[in-house]
PDB file of all heavy atoms in Angstrom:
ATOM      1  N   VAL A 680     -13.782  -3.123   1.078  1.00  0.00           N
ATOM      2  CA  VAL A 680     -15.169  -2.947   0.651  1.00  0.00           C
ATOM      3  C   VAL A 680     -15.739  -4.296   0.182  1.00  0.00           C
ATOM      4  O   VAL A 680     -15.215  -4.898  -0.742  1.00  0.00           O
ATOM      5  CB  VAL A 680     -15.274  -1.919  -0.514  1.00  0.00           C
ATOM      6  CG1 VAL A 680     -16.734  -1.648  -0.860  1.00  0.00           C
ATOM      7  CG2 VAL A 680     -14.549  -0.626  -0.164  1.00  0.00           C
ATOM      8  N   GLY A 681     -16.810  -4.726   0.843  1.00  0.00           N
ATOM      9  CA  GLY A 681     -17.496  -5.934   0.389  1.00  0.00           C
ATOM     10  C   GLY A 681     -18.617  -5.537  -0.567  1.00  0.00           C
ATOM     11  O   GLY A 681     -19.282  -4.522  -0.383  1.00  0.00           O
ATOM     12  N   ASN A 682     -18.807  -6.339  -1.602  1.00  0.00           N
ATOM     13  CA  ASN A 682     -19.880  -6.128  -2.567  1.00  0.00           C
ATOM     14  C   ASN A 682     -20.815  -7.321  -2.450  1.00  0.00           C
ATOM     15  O   ASN A 682     -20.529  -8.374  -2.979  1.00  0.00           O
ATOM     16  CB  ASN A 682     -19.292  -5.978  -3.972  1.00  0.00           C
ATOM     17  CG  ASN A 682     -20.337  -5.726  -5.011  1.00  0.00           C
ATOM     18  OD1 ASN A 682     -21.524  -5.575  -4.713  1.00  0.00           O
ATOM     19  ND2 ASN A 682     -19.932  -5.714  -6.301  1.00  0.00           N
ATOM     20  N   TRP A 683     -21.932  -7.104  -1.787  1.00  0.00           N
ATOM     21  CA  TRP A 683     -22.844  -8.232  -1.510  1.00  0.00           C
ATOM     22  C   TRP A 683     -23.620  -8.647  -2.752  1.00  0.00           C
ATOM     23  O   TRP A 683     -24.238  -9.702  -2.765  1.00  0.00           O
ATOM     24  CB  TRP A 683     -23.826  -7.840  -0.410  1.00  0.00           C
ATOM     25  CG  TRP A 683     -23.304  -8.058   0.967  1.00  0.00           C
ATOM     26  CD1 TRP A 683     -22.050  -8.468   1.310  1.00  0.00           C
ATOM     27  CD2 TRP A 683     -24.016  -7.875   2.196  1.00  0.00           C
ATOM     28  NE1 TRP A 683     -21.943  -8.584   2.702  1.00  0.00           N
ATOM     29  CE2 TRP A 683     -23.139  -8.209   3.237  1.00  0.00           C
ATOM     30  CE3 TRP A 683     -25.298  -7.467   2.514  1.00  0.00           C
ATOM     31  CZ2 TRP A 683     -23.515  -8.135   4.579  1.00  0.00           C
ATOM     32  CZ3 TRP A 683     -25.691  -7.401   3.831  1.00  0.00           C
ATOM     33  CH2 TRP A 683     -24.816  -7.722   4.869  1.00  0.00           C
ATOM     34  N   LYS A 684     -23.643  -7.801  -3.793  1.00  0.00           N
ATOM     35  CA  LYS A 684     -24.403  -8.140  -5.011  1.00  0.00           C
ATOM     36  C   LYS A 684     -25.841  -8.512  -4.617  1.00  0.00           C
ATOM     37  O   LYS A 684     -26.373  -7.886  -3.726  1.00  0.00           O
ATOM     38  CB  LYS A 684     -23.671  -9.208  -5.822  1.00  0.00           C
ATOM     39  CG  LYS A 684     -22.223  -8.813  -6.061  1.00  0.00           C
ATOM     40  CD  LYS A 684     -21.539  -9.666  -7.100  1.00  0.00           C
ATOM     41  CE  LYS A 684     -20.089  -9.202  -7.258  1.00  0.00           C
ATOM     42  NZ  LYS A 684     -19.367  -9.898  -8.311  1.00  0.00           N
ATOM     43  N   ILE A 768     -21.018   2.379  -5.305  1.00  0.00           N
ATOM     44  CA  ILE A 768     -20.176   1.903  -6.418  1.00  0.00           C
ATOM     45  C   ILE A 768     -20.860   2.411  -7.695  1.00  0.00           C
ATOM     46  O   ILE A 768     -22.070   2.486  -7.767  1.00  0.00           O
ATOM     47  CB  ILE A 768     -20.115   0.349  -6.444  1.00  0.00           C
ATOM     48  CG1 ILE A 768     -19.511  -0.207  -5.155  1.00  0.00           C
ATOM     49  CG2 ILE A 768     -19.338  -0.138  -7.659  1.00  0.00           C
ATOM     50  CD1 ILE A 768     -19.617  -1.719  -5.023  1.00  0.00           C
ATOM     51  N   HIS A 771     -19.902  -0.791 -12.068  1.00  0.00           N
ATOM     52  CA  HIS A 771     -19.446  -2.183 -11.921  1.00  0.00           C
ATOM     53  C   HIS A 771     -19.748  -2.921 -13.237  1.00  0.00           C
ATOM     54  O   HIS A 771     -20.791  -2.690 -13.861  1.00  0.00           O
ATOM     55  CB  HIS A 771     -20.165  -2.855 -10.753  1.00  0.00           C
ATOM     56  CG  HIS A 771     -19.576  -4.186 -10.429  1.00  0.00           C
ATOM     57  ND1 HIS A 771     -19.843  -5.313 -11.187  1.00  0.00           N
ATOM     58  CD2 HIS A 771     -18.725  -4.572  -9.465  1.00  0.00           C
ATOM     59  CE1 HIS A 771     -19.162  -6.336 -10.694  1.00  0.00           C
ATOM     60  NE2 HIS A 771     -18.490  -5.924  -9.642  1.00  0.00           N
ATOM     61  N   SER A 772     -18.862  -3.830 -13.637  1.00  0.00           N
ATOM     62  CA  SER A 772     -19.018  -4.467 -14.942  1.00  0.00           C
ATOM     63  C   SER A 772     -20.332  -5.230 -15.051  1.00  0.00           C
ATOM     64  O   SER A 772     -20.889  -5.361 -16.138  1.00  0.00           O
ATOM     65  CB  SER A 772     -17.821  -5.367 -15.252  1.00  0.00           C
ATOM     66  OG  SER A 772     -17.790  -6.385 -14.299  1.00  0.00           O
ATOM     67  N   GLU A 773     -20.849  -5.741 -13.925  1.00  0.00           N
ATOM     68  CA  GLU A 773     -22.105  -6.479 -13.995  1.00  0.00           C
ATOM     69  C   GLU A 773     -23.268  -5.526 -14.275  1.00  0.00           C
ATOM     70  O   GLU A 773     -24.274  -5.916 -14.854  1.00  0.00           O
ATOM     71  CB  GLU A 773     -22.327  -7.270 -12.707  1.00  0.00           C
ATOM     72  CG  GLU A 773     -21.357  -8.474 -12.638  1.00  0.00           C
ATOM     73  CD  GLU A 773     -21.172  -9.090 -11.256  1.00  0.00           C
ATOM     74  OE1 GLU A 773     -21.867  -8.666 -10.320  1.00  0.00           O
ATOM     75  OE2 GLU A 773     -20.325  -9.986 -11.135  1.00  0.00           O
ATOM     76  N   CYS A 801     -15.618   1.984 -11.082  1.00  0.00           N
ATOM     77  CA  CYS A 801     -14.882   0.786 -11.520  1.00  0.00           C
ATOM     78  C   CYS A 801     -14.361   0.905 -12.952  1.00  0.00           C
ATOM     79  O   CYS A 801     -15.090   1.379 -13.846  1.00  0.00           O
ATOM     80  CB  CYS A 801     -15.823  -0.420 -11.478  1.00  0.00           C
ATOM     81  SG  CYS A 801     -16.494  -0.754  -9.861  1.00  0.00           S
ATOM     82  N   ALA A 839     -11.709   1.866  -8.537  1.00  0.00           N
ATOM     83  CA  ALA A 839     -11.547   0.406  -8.383  1.00  0.00           C
ATOM     84  C   ALA A 839     -11.030  -0.173  -9.680  1.00  0.00           C
ATOM     85  O   ALA A 839     -11.633   0.063 -10.732  1.00  0.00           O
ATOM     86  CB  ALA A 839     -12.846  -0.253  -8.008  1.00  0.00           C
ATOM     87  N   GLU A 841     -10.851  -3.328 -11.637  1.00  0.00           N
ATOM     88  CA  GLU A 841     -11.486  -4.645 -11.614  1.00  0.00           C
ATOM     89  C   GLU A 841     -11.366  -5.261 -13.035  1.00  0.00           C
ATOM     90  O   GLU A 841     -12.226  -5.033 -13.870  1.00  0.00           O
ATOM     91  CB  GLU A 841     -12.967  -4.521 -11.258  1.00  0.00           C
ATOM     92  CG  GLU A 841     -13.200  -4.094  -9.825  1.00  0.00           C
ATOM     93  CD  GLU A 841     -14.396  -4.823  -9.235  1.00  0.00           C
ATOM     94  OE1 GLU A 841     -15.448  -4.897  -9.861  1.00  0.00           O
ATOM     95  OE2 GLU A 841     -14.248  -5.382  -8.135  1.00  0.00           O
ATOM     96  N   PRO A 842     -10.299  -6.033 -13.265  1.00  0.00           N
ATOM     97  CA  PRO A 842     -10.219  -6.695 -14.578  1.00  0.00           C
ATOM     98  C   PRO A 842     -11.386  -7.663 -14.738  1.00  0.00           C
ATOM     99  O   PRO A 842     -11.642  -8.489 -13.848  1.00  0.00           O
ATOM    100  CB  PRO A 842      -8.884  -7.461 -14.523  1.00  0.00           C
ATOM    101  CG  PRO A 842      -8.519  -7.526 -13.062  1.00  0.00           C
ATOM    102  CD  PRO A 842      -9.228  -6.422 -12.361  1.00  0.00           C
ATOM    103  N   LEU A 843     -12.112  -7.528 -15.832  1.00  0.00           N
ATOM    104  CA  LEU A 843     -13.344  -8.303 -15.995  1.00  0.00           C
ATOM    105  C   LEU A 843     -13.072  -9.815 -15.963  1.00  0.00           C
ATOM    106  O   LEU A 843     -13.898 -10.588 -15.492  1.00  0.00           O
ATOM    107  CB  LEU A 843     -14.011  -7.927 -17.325  1.00  0.00           C
ATOM    108  CG  LEU A 843     -15.017  -6.762 -17.250  1.00  0.00           C
ATOM    109  CD1 LEU A 843     -14.411  -5.504 -16.665  1.00  0.00           C
ATOM    110  CD2 LEU A 843     -15.625  -6.481 -18.612  1.00  0.00           C
ATOM    111  N   ALA A 845     -11.145 -11.375 -14.135  1.00  0.00           N
ATOM    112  CA  ALA A 845     -10.869 -11.895 -12.776  1.00  0.00           C
ATOM    113  C   ALA A 845     -12.134 -11.928 -11.896  1.00  0.00           C
ATOM    114  O   ALA A 845     -12.181 -12.656 -10.918  1.00  0.00           O
ATOM    115  CB  ALA A 845      -9.795 -11.065 -12.102  1.00  0.00           C
ATOM    116  N   ILE A 846     -13.153 -11.160 -12.320  1.00  0.00           N
ATOM    117  CA  ILE A 846     -14.365 -11.093 -11.483  1.00  0.00           C
ATOM    118  C   ILE A 846     -15.143 -12.370 -11.603  1.00  0.00           C
ATOM    119  O   ILE A 846     -15.420 -12.854 -12.700  1.00  0.00           O
ATOM    120  CB  ILE A 846     -15.272  -9.896 -11.931  1.00  0.00           C
ATOM    121  CG1 ILE A 846     -14.540  -8.571 -11.711  1.00  0.00           C
ATOM    122  CG2 ILE A 846     -16.592  -9.919 -11.196  1.00  0.00           C
ATOM    123  CD1 ILE A 846     -15.293  -7.377 -12.283  1.00  0.00           C
ATOM    124  N   GLY A 847     -15.454 -12.937 -10.427  1.00  0.00           N
ATOM    125  CA  GLY A 847     -16.280 -14.147 -10.420  1.00  0.00           C
ATOM    126  C   GLY A 847     -15.545 -15.374 -10.959  1.00  0.00           C
ATOM    127  O   GLY A 847     -16.181 -16.394 -11.216  1.00  0.00           O
ATOM    128  N   SER A 848     -14.240 -15.257 -11.152  1.00  0.00           N
ATOM    129  CA  SER A 848     -13.500 -16.406 -11.692  1.00  0.00           C
ATOM    130  C   SER A 848     -12.765 -17.094 -10.547  1.00  0.00           C
ATOM    131  O   SER A 848     -13.024 -16.843  -9.389  1.00  0.00           O
ATOM    132  CB  SER A 848     -12.503 -15.917 -12.744  1.00  0.00           C
ATOM    133  OG  SER A 848     -11.384 -15.356 -12.131  1.00  0.00           O
ATOM    134  N   LYS A 849     -11.823 -17.963 -10.922  1.00  0.00           N
ATOM    135  CA  LYS A 849     -11.057 -18.624  -9.858  1.00  0.00           C
ATOM    136  C   LYS A 849      -9.731 -17.920  -9.662  1.00  0.00           C
ATOM    137  O   LYS A 849      -9.084 -18.049  -8.636  1.00  0.00           O
ATOM    138  CB  LYS A 849     -10.788 -20.092 -10.253  1.00  0.00           C
ATOM    139  CG  LYS A 849     -12.020 -20.962 -10.124  1.00  0.00           C
ATOM    140  CD  LYS A 849     -11.611 -22.440 -10.046  1.00  0.00           C
ATOM    141  CE  LYS A 849     -12.827 -23.335 -10.053  1.00  0.00           C
ATOM    142  NZ  LYS A 849     -13.187 -23.819 -11.378  1.00  0.00           N
ATOM    143  N   GLU A 850      -9.287 -17.184 -10.695  1.00  0.00           N
ATOM    144  CA  GLU A 850      -7.950 -16.599 -10.691  1.00  0.00           C
ATOM    145  C   GLU A 850      -7.980 -15.084 -10.551  1.00  0.00           C
ATOM    146  O   GLU A 850      -8.460 -14.397 -11.432  1.00  0.00           O
ATOM    147  CB  GLU A 850      -7.261 -16.926 -12.030  1.00  0.00           C
ATOM    148  CG  GLU A 850      -6.804 -18.365 -12.162  1.00  0.00           C
ATOM    149  CD  GLU A 850      -5.694 -18.736 -11.196  1.00  0.00           C
ATOM    150  OE1 GLU A 850      -4.813 -17.881 -10.939  1.00  0.00           O
ATOM    151  OE2 GLU A 850      -5.731 -19.852 -10.687  1.00  0.00           O
ATOM    152  N   PRO A 851      -7.421 -14.537  -9.462  1.00  0.00           N
ATOM    153  CA  PRO A 851      -7.285 -13.098  -9.421  1.00  0.00           C
ATOM    154  C   PRO A 851      -6.128 -12.662 -10.324  1.00  0.00           C
ATOM    155  O   PRO A 851      -5.342 -13.507 -10.779  1.00  0.00           O
ATOM    156  CB  PRO A 851      -6.933 -12.819  -7.960  1.00  0.00           C
ATOM    157  CG  PRO A 851      -6.316 -14.077  -7.466  1.00  0.00           C
ATOM    158  CD  PRO A 851      -6.892 -15.200  -8.266  1.00  0.00           C
ATOM    159  N   TYR A 884      -8.316  -2.840  -5.576  1.00  0.00           N
ATOM    160  CA  TYR A 884      -8.283  -3.952  -6.552  1.00  0.00           C
ATOM    161  C   TYR A 884      -9.495  -4.846  -6.279  1.00  0.00           C
ATOM    162  O   TYR A 884      -9.814  -5.132  -5.117  1.00  0.00           O
ATOM    163  CB  TYR A 884      -7.006  -4.787  -6.450  1.00  0.00           C
ATOM    164  CG  TYR A 884      -7.179  -6.075  -7.231  1.00  0.00           C
ATOM    165  CD1 TYR A 884      -7.053  -6.048  -8.631  1.00  0.00           C
ATOM    166  CD2 TYR A 884      -7.588  -7.281  -6.626  1.00  0.00           C
ATOM    167  CE1 TYR A 884      -7.310  -7.190  -9.377  1.00  0.00           C
ATOM    168  CE2 TYR A 884      -7.856  -8.410  -7.377  1.00  0.00           C
ATOM    169  CZ  TYR A 884      -7.704  -8.361  -8.730  1.00  0.00           C
ATOM    170  OH  TYR A 884      -7.986  -9.491  -9.473  1.00  0.00           O
ATOM    171  N   GLY A 885     -10.170  -5.321  -7.319  1.00  0.00           N
ATOM    172  CA  GLY A 885     -11.267  -6.269  -7.152  1.00  0.00           C
ATOM    173  C   GLY A 885     -11.219  -7.324  -8.217  1.00  0.00           C
ATOM    174  O   GLY A 885     -10.868  -7.077  -9.392  1.00  0.00           O
ATOM    175  N   GLY A 886     -11.574  -8.546  -7.835  1.00  0.00           N
ATOM    176  CA  GLY A 886     -11.621  -9.665  -8.774  1.00  0.00           C
ATOM    177  C   GLY A 886     -11.037 -10.905  -8.111  1.00  0.00           C
ATOM    178  O   GLY A 886      -9.794 -11.012  -8.002  1.00  0.00           O
ATOM    179  N   SER A 887     -11.902 -11.778  -7.590  1.00  0.00           N
ATOM    180  CA  SER A 887     -11.477 -13.049  -6.975  1.00  0.00           C
ATOM    181  C   SER A 887     -10.501 -12.902  -5.819  1.00  0.00           C
ATOM    182  O   SER A 887      -9.596 -13.715  -5.656  1.00  0.00           O
ATOM    183  CB  SER A 887     -10.856 -13.965  -8.047  1.00  0.00           C
ATOM    184  OG  SER A 887     -11.817 -14.299  -9.020  1.00  0.00           O
ATOM    185  N   VAL A 888     -10.696 -11.852  -5.026  1.00  0.00           N
ATOM    186  CA  VAL A 888      -9.854 -11.703  -3.842  1.00  0.00           C
ATOM    187  C   VAL A 888     -10.256 -12.728  -2.806  1.00  0.00           C
ATOM    188  O   VAL A 888     -11.435 -12.966  -2.564  1.00  0.00           O
ATOM    189  CB  VAL A 888      -9.998 -10.274  -3.239  1.00  0.00           C
ATOM    190  CG1 VAL A 888      -9.268 -10.167  -1.920  1.00  0.00           C
ATOM    191  CG2 VAL A 888      -9.479  -9.227  -4.216  1.00  0.00           C
ATOM    192  N   THR A 889      -9.256 -13.349  -2.198  1.00  0.00           N
ATOM    193  CA  THR A 889      -9.515 -14.296  -1.093  1.00  0.00           C
ATOM    194  C   THR A 889      -8.596 -13.894   0.064  1.00  0.00           C
ATOM    195  O   THR A 889      -7.741 -13.029  -0.113  1.00  0.00           O
ATOM    196  CB  THR A 889      -9.110 -15.729  -1.491  1.00  0.00           C
ATOM    197  OG1 THR A 889      -7.715 -15.704  -1.869  1.00  0.00           O
ATOM    198  CG2 THR A 889      -9.960 -16.253  -2.636  1.00  0.00           C
ATOM    199  N   LEU A 905      -9.388  -3.053  -1.166  1.00  0.00           N
ATOM    200  CA  LEU A 905      -9.909  -4.145  -1.974  1.00  0.00           C
ATOM    201  C   LEU A 905     -11.421  -4.041  -2.152  1.00  0.00           C
ATOM    202  O   LEU A 905     -12.116  -3.561  -1.234  1.00  0.00           O
ATOM    203  CB  LEU A 905      -9.594  -5.478  -1.282  1.00  0.00           C
ATOM    204  CG  LEU A 905      -8.103  -5.755  -1.030  1.00  0.00           C
ATOM    205  CD1 LEU A 905      -7.933  -6.894  -0.037  1.00  0.00           C
ATOM    206  CD2 LEU A 905      -7.385  -6.066  -2.330  1.00  0.00           C
ATOM    207  N   LEU A 906     -11.898  -4.472  -3.291  1.00  0.00           N
ATOM    208  CA  LEU A 906     -13.329  -4.592  -3.507  1.00  0.00           C
ATOM    209  C   LEU A 906     -13.612  -6.083  -3.694  1.00  0.00           C
ATOM    210  O   LEU A 906     -13.105  -6.714  -4.622  1.00  0.00           O
ATOM    211  CB  LEU A 906     -13.722  -3.787  -4.785  1.00  0.00           C
ATOM    212  CG  LEU A 906     -15.202  -3.765  -5.184  1.00  0.00           C
ATOM    213  CD1 LEU A 906     -16.108  -3.331  -4.049  1.00  0.00           C
ATOM    214  CD2 LEU A 906     -15.412  -2.827  -6.375  1.00  0.00           C
ATOM    215  N   ILE A 907     -14.391  -6.613  -2.779  1.00  0.00           N
ATOM    216  CA  ILE A 907     -14.492  -8.062  -2.666  1.00  0.00           C
ATOM    217  C   ILE A 907     -15.927  -8.535  -2.873  1.00  0.00           C
ATOM    218  O   ILE A 907     -16.838  -8.055  -2.184  1.00  0.00           O
ATOM    219  CB  ILE A 907     -14.047  -8.498  -1.226  1.00  0.00           C
ATOM    220  CG1 ILE A 907     -12.647  -7.935  -0.949  1.00  0.00           C
ATOM    221  CG2 ILE A 907     -14.070 -10.001  -1.063  1.00  0.00           C
ATOM    222  CD1 ILE A 907     -12.407  -7.614   0.523  1.00  0.00           C
ATOM    223  N   GLY A 908     -16.109  -9.434  -3.784  1.00  0.00           N
ATOM    224  CA  GLY A 908     -17.443  -9.983  -4.058  1.00  0.00           C
ATOM    225  C   GLY A 908     -17.722 -11.196  -3.179  1.00  0.00           C
ATOM    226  O   GLY A 908     -18.074 -11.084  -2.008  1.00  0.00           O
ATOM    227  N   ARG A 909     -17.533 -12.394  -3.768  1.00  0.00           N
ATOM    228  CA  ARG A 909     -17.928 -13.620  -3.096  1.00  0.00           C
ATOM    229  C   ARG A 909     -17.383 -13.750  -1.688  1.00  0.00           C
ATOM    230  O   ARG A 909     -18.115 -14.170  -0.771  1.00  0.00           O
ATOM    231  CB  ARG A 909     -17.503 -14.833  -3.952  1.00  0.00           C
ATOM    232  CG  ARG A 909     -18.339 -15.014  -5.204  1.00  0.00           C
ATOM    233  CD  ARG A 909     -17.601 -15.798  -6.224  1.00  0.00           C
ATOM    234  NE  ARG A 909     -16.423 -15.100  -6.700  1.00  0.00           N
ATOM    235  CZ  ARG A 909     -15.471 -15.632  -7.442  1.00  0.00           C
ATOM    236  NH1 ARG A 909     -15.531 -16.903  -7.793  1.00  0.00           N
ATOM    237  NH2 ARG A 909     -14.418 -14.911  -7.828  1.00  0.00           N
ATOM    238  N   ALA A 910     -16.118 -13.423  -1.479  1.00  0.00           N
ATOM    239  CA  ALA A 910     -15.529 -13.619  -0.158  1.00  0.00           C
ATOM    240  C   ALA A 910     -16.063 -12.636   0.881  1.00  0.00           C
ATOM    241  O   ALA A 910     -15.749 -12.761   2.068  1.00  0.00           O
ATOM    242  CB  ALA A 910     -13.995 -13.530  -0.248  1.00  0.00           C
ATOM    243  N   SER A 911     -16.874 -11.672   0.451  1.00  0.00           N
ATOM    244  CA  SER A 911     -17.464 -10.746   1.436  1.00  0.00           C
ATOM    245  C   SER A 911     -18.884 -11.180   1.817  1.00  0.00           C
ATOM    246  O   SER A 911     -19.544 -10.537   2.636  1.00  0.00           O
ATOM    247  CB  SER A 911     -17.525  -9.315   0.863  1.00  0.00           C
ATOM    248  OG  SER A 911     -18.581  -9.206  -0.076  1.00  0.00           O
ATOM    249  N   GLN A 912     -19.339 -12.229   1.170  1.00  0.00           N
ATOM    250  CA  GLN A 912     -20.741 -12.635   1.375  1.00  0.00           C
ATOM    251  C   GLN A 912     -20.878 -13.704   2.450  1.00  0.00           C
ATOM    252  O   GLN A 912     -21.946 -14.295   2.644  1.00  0.00           O
ATOM    253  CB  GLN A 912     -21.323 -13.107   0.026  1.00  0.00           C
ATOM    254  CG  GLN A 912     -21.394 -11.952  -0.987  1.00  0.00           C
ATOM    255  CD  GLN A 912     -21.506 -12.389  -2.424  1.00  0.00           C
ATOM    256  OE1 GLN A 912     -21.736 -13.571  -2.703  1.00  0.00           O
ATOM    257  NE2 GLN A 912     -21.318 -11.469  -3.351  1.00  0.00           N
TER     258      GLN A 912
HETATM  259  P1  PGA B1243     -15.446 -11.506  -6.839  1.00  0.00           P
HETATM  260  O1  PGA B1243     -16.230 -10.189  -7.283  1.00  0.00           O
HETATM  261  O2  PGA B1243     -14.597 -11.119  -5.656  1.00  0.00           O
HETATM  262  O3  PGA B1243     -16.501 -12.485  -6.489  1.00  0.00           O
HETATM  263  O4  PGA B1243     -14.607 -11.922  -8.004  1.00  0.00           O
HETATM  264  C1  PGA B1243     -15.608  -8.933  -7.278  1.00  0.00           C
HETATM  265  C2  PGA B1243     -16.549  -7.877  -7.755  1.00  0.00           C
HETATM  266  O5  PGA B1243     -17.405  -8.153  -8.611  1.00  0.00           O
HETATM  267  O6  PGA B1243     -16.468  -6.729  -7.269  1.00  0.00           O
END
Side-chain angles (χ1 to χ4, degrees):
V680 185
N682 180 5
W683 276 3
K684 308 193 181 184
I768 300 171
H771 189 284
S772 63
E773 288 162 6
C801 301
E841 292 219 312
L843 271 55
I846 296 173
S848 78
K849 286 200 185 94
E850 286 294 322
Y884 167 78
S887 296
V888 172
T889 58
L905 301 166
L906 181 53
I907 305 149
R909 288 158 295 169
S911 75
Q912 295 160 11

